[in-house]
Amino acid sequence: LVKSLDLFGSAVMIIMGIVIIFSAGVNWLLLIVLFLVMSLLATKYSKKYKRSLGQFEGRRTSKNVISNGVVACFMAAFGGYYLPFVGGFIGAIATATADTLGSEIGVLDPHPRLITTFQSVDPGTNGAVSVLGTVIGIIGAAVIGIVAFLLGIVPSPLSAIAVSVISGFVGCFTDSILGALFENRGMITNEHVNLLATIVGAIVGILLI
């Protein structure tokens, strides 16, 4: 994991981990670690092909770590005191997982379409969606829900899966819409998009729990 993060990214991840352990417990941290492992495996999958497309992402920076993890870290910090934040925690991680897996695996689909106009675009275009990316994203979000139940973070398996899949789906498509409308025009960065998407996913999770 450390080799996939730069120095500052690793430092931020360690700080977030300490906050989560002392505020919510090791099990909550394990869910974040699961997201990281799945993300890194998806990133390395078909690395040569992604490089040929110019879509391979090397080491992640502190900006990547913060934009994908700060909302979940905040939710974990208060999750033990305010139950709905448990849903926010699940929603934020499910969104980050669905988005990352959907992007990293979805780029292999040769027929993506822009979410706002449905016109065909090149793989890796901001705001592009595909059948492959959507299915993988939903599966990734479901895995987060299943493991959240197994770790005892959410007592009901159906509730855990419903919260993770719905919030992950909504958050992931929010990411695509923001990418198509704003990131493509240079108005915001990918980190901004990721942060806003995880906020939306967390809000949906809070409302569903």
Side-chain angles (χ1 to χ4, degrees):
L1 290 179
V2 175
K3 290 183 179 180
S4 299
L5 301 171
D6 67 9
L7 178 61
F8 289 109
S10 299
V12 171
M13 189 64 219
I14 291 171
I15 293 171
M16 284 186 177
I18 291 172
V19 170
I20 292 172
I21 287 175
F22 282 98
S23 59
V26 174
N27 284 358
W28 289 51
L29 178 63
L30 290 176
L31 205 61
I32 292 269
V33 172
L34 174 63
F35 155 66
L36 280 173
V37 170
M38 288 196 294
S39 298
L40 296 176
L41 289 175
T43 298
K44 293 182 182 300
Y45 185 73
S46 294
K47 182 167 67 174
K48 289 183 179 179
Y49 177 67
K50 289 176 185 175
R51 275 190 171 144
S52 71
L53 295 174
Q55 296 296 326
F56 179 71
E57 185 175 3
R59 285 193 171 189
R60 285 171 164 78
T61 66
S62 57
K63 290 182 179 179
N64 298 130
V65 176
I66 292 171
S67 63
N68 280 295
V70 70
V71 176
C73 183
F74 178 85
M75 293 295 162
F78 296 96
Y81 308 100
Y82 184 57
L83 181 61
F85 277 11
V86 175
F89 178 74
I90 302 298
I93 297 179
T95 294
T97 302
D99 175 49
T100 303
L101 269 59
S103 298
E104 293 292 348
I105 304 299
V107 74
L108 305 178
D109 191 316
H111 304 295
R113 293 183 177 273
L114 198 65
I115 192 170
T116 50
T117 63
F118 294 104
Q119 69 183 86
S120 295
V121 291
D122 294 330
T125 300
N126 296 322
V129 294
S130 65
V131 174
L132 176 62
T134 300
V135 171
I136 291 296
I138 291 174
I139 292 173
V143 169
I144 292 297
I146 292 169
V147 176
F149 163 70
L150 294 176
L151 291 173
I153 297 173
V154 182
S156 166
L158 292 179
S159 177
I161 295 173
V163 169
S164 62
V165 169
I166 295 173
S167 58
F169 181 83
V170 173
C172 189
F173 271 82
T174 297
D175 184 288
S176 297
I177 292 171
L178 292 173
L181 294 178
F182 303 108
E183 188 181 356
N184 274 339
R185 299 173 183 175
M187 299 170 68
I188 57 178
T189 66
N190 181 252
E191 285 77 23
H192 294 140
V193 171
N194 290 340
L195 178 61
L196 292 170
T198 53
I199 290 174
V200 170
I203 291 173
V204 173
I206 289 173
L207 294 175
L208 290 174
I209 200 67

